[in-house]
Amino acid sequence: MTKAQKRLADLLERQSKSRQRMAELAGADELNDETRAELDTIEAGVPDLERQIRAARVAAADEEAEQRQAARDTEPDAEDRERAELRGKVRLSRYIGAAVETRAADGPEAEYNAAIGLPANRFPLELLAAPATETRATTNADAEATQRPWVDRLFSETAAMKVGITFQSVGPGVSAHPVVTAGASAAQRGRSEAASDAAWTVAVKDIKPTRNTVRASFSEEDANRLPGLEDALRRDLSMALTEGVDRAIFLGDAGANEDTADITGLIAQTGVTEKTLTQAAKVKAPDTLAAFASLVDGKHASGLGDLMVCASVGSNTLWLSTIAAATADTKTVASFLRENGLDWGVRGDIDTATAAGDFGAFVGLGRGIQGAGVAAIWNAGMLIRDPYTAAAKGEVALTLSHFWGFALPRPSNFARLKFVA
């Protein structure tokens, strides 16, 4: 942060504190001589403070313009180094502070947004990586108790990337993903024999942005009673958003009030190979292995090692607890599968049972899977802090949004396992 930007930040902080104190004094039932003099002093200083802020804004804007011009004059590698340096300085907490004061971010955050082409009132989604939780014990004067570290809400493990979904950061506009669907085949030809023309076709899968949002509110009383509450809530929202997007890739989300905003997950995507296991076959190790082995086609997968498997809690429990051949040994279905080269991870919130209609696993077929399934992320998040709508109740609402879309340019690289009757 430059000297002018630091001065502007300090002045804005003074202004915010002055306004807060004026509101407290104005709401008092009566004022004594001391508080009345304090209110008079604050009111008298308002014009001068506003003048200083205007001057500081001009100085900061001039410095930012000079910095942007200097950045344009440097070589590309120098720009990259400067951008990386700025990235190390930005903090999501300062974007939140800007949202609290209903203004655009300034300082390093404004510079970084300008460097990566984001509007000043947005923030880079990369900052949503949850920070370490506070471990310092604090004293709650109201309850006269020691507040221990926050225990954040636990979410299911994200797993879309484990089955080969490609997450791509995209800029404004529609994200177009071309895929070759047909082309030439090699053939032997004799002397002077012409090669035949081949039909070579390309399909383009367009992904348009849809909005995914999480929202929560808290009371001002709780914020003053529990240090770190708003930070904990922000962490919770960011983790909920991340988990919700990942879950939608598997199960879809049709809860929007218009079809164009719905997400069709792997559970219902057309073109995805679906293998089934009957209730009788699901407890038989050879039948379970055969269902996965049938996905090895020599094109999308050349062996069981090319299968990127994400199992449901239900199927994982079944495989770990079912003895493959009870009369012969104590080997479980899971042991049998792993000994034959199949491995998997587990994701919660898919299915906890293995009844007819439940899904047991989702599979990515690893050969050529890069770009076959795409979660496009428009890299500009929005955090809105609203202290006004429910001000009468003393409540503040936080809304965190980002824009994304999901599609399978080549669905044949994916499969699902379903239990049937």
Side-chain angles (χ1 to χ4, degrees):
M1 181 180 293
T2 66
K3 183 177 180 180
Q5 291 164 346
K6 186 177 186 306
R7 174 167 171 74
L8 176 60
D10 291 341
L11 290 171
L12 289 172
E13 184 178 1
R14 280 176 51 193
Q15 183 185 53
S16 178
K17 290 180 178 179
S18 296
R19 288 175 175 174
Q20 183 178 358
R21 183 57 178 160
M22 287 177 66
E24 292 172 356
L25 294 173
D29 292 336
E30 59 180 278
L31 298 176
N32 56 34
D33 292 341
E34 182 180 352
T35 53
R36 187 175 293 105
E38 181 184 0
L39 181 59
D40 292 341
T41 300
I42 295 175
E43 289 178 341
V46 167
D48 184 60
L49 180 58
E50 290 179 346
R51 179 188 59 77
Q52 292 182 60
I53 289 175
R54 287 195 297 271
R57 287 189 190 279
V58 172
D62 289 343
E63 285 189 348
E64 290 173 12
E66 291 175 1
Q67 290 172 345
R68 286 194 293 270
Q69 183 60 46
R72 285 193 291 269
D73 294 339
T74 57
E75 295 296 329
D77 56 340
E79 290 181 0
D80 292 339
R81 288 196 298 270
E82 183 179 1
R83 191 177 297 114
E85 184 180 350
L86 281 171
R87 172 62 182 85
K89 295 179 180 178
V90 299
R91 297 291 182 271
L92 183 57
S93 60
R94 290 198 284 266
Y95 285 100
I96 295 174
V100 169
E101 298 178 6
T102 61
R103 59 176 174 80
D106 52 22
E109 289 70 31
E111 293 180 49
Y112 188 63
N113 278 21
I116 63 176
L118 288 186
N121 62 343
R122 303 289 179 91
F123 69 91
L125 285 173
E126 65 200 52
L127 299 182
L128 284 182
T133 57
E134 176 65 64
T135 58
R136 173 176 52 86
T138 58
T139 299
N140 184 332
D142 179 49
E144 294 186 354
T146 299
Q147 180 179 306
R148 298 301 178 185
W150 284 88
V151 179
D152 290 336
R153 190 158 53 123
L154 188 62
F155 294 89
S156 293
E157 176 84 10
T158 54
M161 293 181 69
K162 295 179 181 178
V163 297
I165 301 300
T166 302
F167 282 74
Q168 292 183 348
S169 177
V170 300
V174 175
S175 181
H177 300 264
V179 56
V180 179
T181 58
S185 295
Q188 291 294 112
R189 289 291 181 264
R191 185 177 301 169
S192 300
E193 182 181 4
S196 301
D197 289 336
W200 189 79
T201 57
V202 177
V204 178
K205 177 69 72 172
D206 288 339
I207 303 180
K208 299 178 181 179
T210 63
R211 178 167 52 92
N212 192 285
T213 301
V214 287
R215 179 179 170 88
S217 61
F218 63 92
S219 70
E220 293 285 11
E221 289 86 350
D222 286 339
N224 283 281
R225 183 173 61 88
L226 297 172
L229 181 144
E230 189 165 347
D231 286 340
L233 184 55
R234 193 269 303 168
R235 288 196 304 272
D236 187 87
L237 290 177
S238 65
M239 289 187 290
L241 185 145
T242 301
E243 188 279 332
V245 166
D246 185 87
R247 176 164 29 88
I249 289 174
F250 289 97
L251 304 182
D253 189 338
N257 63 357
E258 56 179 355
D259 292 342
T260 56
D262 289 338
I263 297 294
T264 302
L266 291 171
I267 199 171
Q269 283 273 0
T270 59
V272 172
T273 302
E274 184 169 290
K275 299 296 180 179
T276 59
L277 275 176
T278 65
Q279 296 299 291
K282 73 180 185 181
V283 295
K284 298 178 181 179
D287 291 33
T288 303
L289 180 62
F292 287 104
S294 65
L295 296 173
V296 180
D297 60 359
K299 181 186 293 185
H300 299 83
S302 59
L304 290 177
D306 285 332
L307 303 187
M308 306 159 72
V309 182
C310 177
S312 69
V313 171
S315 59
N316 183 66
T317 301
L318 175 72
W319 298 339
L320 288 172
S321 60
T322 302
I323 304 301
T327 58
D329 55 33
T330 58
K331 183 182 298 183
T332 64
V333 173
S335 297
F336 179 85
L337 295 176
R338 287 197 165 107
E339 286 179 4
N340 283 278
L342 184 71
D343 203 359
W344 62 91
V346 181
R347 196 209 191 279
D349 299 322
I350 295 177
D351 269 316
T352 57
T354 58
D358 290 335
F359 284 84
F362 294 93
V363 186
L365 310 182
R367 292 193 70 246
I369 200 170
Q370 181 69 26
V374 176
I377 308 295
W378 277 258
N379 190 27
M382 291 192 305
L383 176 64
I384 299 173
R385 186 183 192 274
D386 178 11
Y388 306 110
T389 302
K393 297 188 293 183
E395 293 181 350
V396 177
L398 290 177
T399 304
L400 180 62
S401 302
H402 82 155
F403 297 88
W404 80 298
F406 173 62
L408 300 182
R410 185 164 61 209
S412 58
N413 268 102
F414 299 92
R416 53 188 177 240
L417 178 68
K418 186 177 183 180
F419 297 107
V420 295

